[in-house]
Amino acid sequence: LVLRRARVHTVDPDLPEAEALAVSGGRIVWIGDDADAEAWTGPDTEVLDAAGRLVTPGFIDAHNHVRLGSDDACVQLAAARTLEEIHHRIRTWHAAHPDAEWIEAEAFDYSAIGGGRMPTAADLDPATGDTPALVLSYDVHTAWLNTAALRRLGVTADRTDLPFGRAATDPATGEPTGFVTDFAVKGLSRDGHRALRELGLPWASPERQYRRLARSLDDAIGFGITTVVEPQNSLDDLELFARARAEGRLRSRLTAALFHPRGTTDADLDDFADAARRLDDDRLTVGPLKLYIDDVVEPRTAALLQPYTGCGQHRGETFYPPEEFAGLLAKLDARGFQCFVHATGDRGIRTVLDAVAHARALNGPRDARHQVVHVECLDPADVPRFAELGVVACMQPRHCAPEIAGPGQDWAENVGPERWHKAWPMRSLHRAGAVLAFSSDWNVAEMDPMVGLYTAVTRRPLGGGEPWQPEETVDVETAVHGYTMGSAYANFLEHERGSLTVGKVADFVVWSRDVLRCAPEDIPGTVARTVVVGGEVVHTA
């Protein structure tokens, strides 16, 4: 394959720009000026004419829940801003599916309830009646049940510590309210998913999981994402990826991280290591471990250094005491595992950084590339520690959009204006020398990396408007680097992917617009016209 007449942004400082490249055996064998491309073109060469368009390395989405995905069998609640709108959408769906045994919905926004409170079964019952209903929040960290679902799932005042989460209770009566926290930690675990499946929840069935995965993989390659990092899986889930590969749905390369919930044993770690040895080629790899230190800001379950605004002394909790987590990370580090640690609150992030420092002191420095995932509320004192400790900041720019986290939204209101300067400090981390690995966190936010680029560069609403914390924007070259070489480095892939360099795999995208030169407001809507993986055209818009 020869690519010609392109504006190639290589993300390689030794040769930043080019006009053409040649591919043989799935790898780049030459890159240079268009005038020299003829020498690489023979009778069996496929010639791809970019017609002057921008070409970049394929994007690497460092945190993309393709297996969790979005489910078209669910009621879709994205952009439903009021309880009345939620009721309307659920009633409309139920009228079209009168025989459904369950009502399942996704993408509920906490702010839709209003008043800063969390939803209850009583809020859901008028729209669902006696049909059990489970509603997942947009971040899939919490679930919302109606009264019928509380009965079906066996949630009572005496049974609130569930295999799939922790049921909130009314402080006056002690009865479960219908709101369930820790769903991402417990409900998405191996045991939690099995429990939900045994309880008859259709959403948890293997076939529904595979449908979500296959659809998300199709979306990924269409968005120019040539490598996906799926950050939270059990050993049971690996069969889904193998099936996708066998059926030709795995057109992107994929790295699957394995979930390490509390209670993971040494025998489990042996099984994780065995899976990493078995599944390790240029298309499907297994290896990193996913852990949680805290939860999320919106329901006030992230761990903050100071109390939540208007919440007395409540500042959230970490899932492990700091000393225990430091010992755990040191143990995993000693065994050679790379850890992806979910941390959103400033105290949660500091706990992870302290644990990495402890592991380095105990085991000696190594090129571990442990990641703090999300980095939503970071204390300035901890900014330089990322580079000092070799910790990667795996961030999702879209999460800091004003219409998602800004003034008037639960994130900003819970943290309070005096701490808004801590929100997603991408520029501060970059200037301090930290590695930024950008990602979507689909289906928590849009998978399209153009949405992420736009938000990283502007911190404005997607439809335009005033920016929020614009001093933490980054320039577009830095944002593209975060989606390419930054994410490649974060996953030990920098020698194979992330830039268009002779010897690396030929994963690249021809874009409909030049996002490096166009106005920022024109970045959204940019389309991956041609996507090439390993020298093979795998998608054409």
Side-chain angles (χ1 to χ4, degrees), residues 210 213 217 239-251 279-285:
Y210 184 72
L213 171 64
L217 289 171
E239 295 177 9
L240 298 170
F241 302 122
R243 176 181 171 185
R245 183 173 187 169
E247 295 182 2
R249 302 300 288 270
L250 190 61
R251 290 177 287 167
L279 296 171
D280 183 20
D281 59 35
D282 69 335
R283 289 288 170 154
L284 179 59
T285 60

Side-chain angles (χ1 to χ4, degrees), residues 134-152:
L134 177 142
V135 177
L136 294 175
S137 57
Y138 82 93
D139 55 15
V140 201
H141 278 253
T142 62
W144 174 17
L145 308 175
N146 69 350
T147 300
L150 288 171
R151 288 195 299 266
R152 179 72 66 89

Side-chain angles (χ1 to χ4, degrees), residues 138-485:
Y138 82 93
D139 55 15
V140 201
H141 278 253
T142 62
W144 174 17
L145 308 175
N146 69 350
T147 300
L150 288 171
R151 288 195 299 266
R152 179 72 66 89
L153 298 176
V155 185
T156 66
D158 298 323
R159 186 173 178 268
T160 58
D161 190 4
L162 310 166
F164 51 87
R166 189 175 303 278
T169 56
D170 186 301
T173 66
E175 292 298 317
T177 65
F179 189 60
V180 178
T181 62
D182 297 355
F183 187 84
V185 178
K186 300 182 73 175
L188 301 183
S189 70
R190 191 181 201 179
D191 291 343
H193 231 85
R194 285 177 173 177
L196 289 169
R197 192 159 59 240
E198 291 167 2
L199 288 164
L201 188 72
W203 179 86
S205 69
E207 195 55 38
R208 283 275 290 276
Q209 287 191 74
Y210 184 72
R211 279 170 48 189
R212 295 194 293 267
L213 171 64
R215 180 178 176 182
S216 292
L217 289 171
D218 288 346
D219 286 344
I221 203 67
F223 285 132
I225 299 168
T226 57
T227 295
V228 170
V229 181
E230 219 304 349
Q232 184 170 325
N233 306 279
S234 77
L235 293 172
D236 292 350
D237 301 322
L238 301 183
E239 295 177 9
L240 298 170
F241 302 122
R243 176 181 171 185
R245 183 173 187 169
E247 295 182 2
R249 302 300 288 270
L250 190 61
R251 290 177 287 167
S252 303
R253 308 175 194 273
L254 189 140
T255 293
L258 293 168
F259 186 29
H260 182 295
R262 183 183 279 279
T264 299
T265 65
D266 288 341
D268 293 328
L269 292 177
D270 291 340
D271 291 340
F272 291 170
D274 180 64
R277 285 189 292 269
R278 287 186 293 104
L279 296 171
D280 183 20
D281 59 35
D282 69 335
R283 289 288 170 154
L284 179 59
T285 60
V286 174
L289 301 184
K290 169 71 176 292
L291 300 92
Y292 285 81
I293 192 59
D294 67 354
D295 203 33
V296 285
V297 169
E298 287 86 344
R300 299 182 282 276
T301 52
L304 300 184
L305 292 168
Q306 300 298 324
Y308 284 88
T309 299
C311 290
Q313 296 304 307
H314 175 67
R315 57 191 190 122
E317 300 295 337
T318 55
F319 288 119
Y320 300 83
E323 298 80 7
E324 181 184 350
F325 188 75
L328 173 60
L329 193 78
K331 171 186 171 181
L332 298 175
D333 180 78
R335 288 197 57 163
F337 286 109
Q338 180 190 21
C339 297
F340 298 168
V341 188
H342 168 110
T344 60
D346 47 14
R347 183 160 54 93
I349 297 167
R350 181 169 293 176
T351 302
V352 179
L353 295 173
D354 289 346
V356 173
H358 173 73
R360 287 168 66 91
L362 201 64
N363 302 330
R366 73 179 185 90
D367 188 15
R369 305 187 197 180
H370 299 307
Q371 296 182 18
V372 174
V373 180
H374 302 312
V375 200
E376 292 186 0
C377 182
L378 177 63
D379 193 81
D382 290 319
V383 167
R385 300 181 71 197
F386 280 78
E388 292 166 3
L389 295 170
V391 173
V392 173
C394 180
M395 303 180 75
Q396 300 73 42
R398 175 61 170 156
H399 287 188
C400 70
E403 69 271 38
I404 293 174
Q409 304 301 316
D410 281 357
W411 196 100
E413 299 310 305
N414 285 340
V415 168
E418 69 280 0
R419 287 180 284 194
W420 288 354
H421 67 282
K422 297 184 176 186
W424 290 269
M426 295 177 288
R427 188 190 300 183
S428 294
L429 283 163
H430 177 62
R431 286 181 170 175
V435 173
L436 298 179
F438 280 170
S439 59
S440 64
D441 201 14
W442 169 255
N443 68 336
V444 179
E446 300 92 339
M447 192 192 300
D448 184 355
M450 295 299 114
V451 174
L453 280 184
Y454 166 82
T455 313
V457 170
T458 68
R459 294 179 75 118
R460 295 179 183 275
L462 193 54
E466 291 301 311
W468 185 54
Q469 304 304 116
E471 62 275 10
E472 289 294 350
T473 57
V474 295
D475 60 74
V476 67
E477 289 84 1
T478 299
V480 168
H481 190 279
Y483 277 108
T484 52
M485 275 302 292

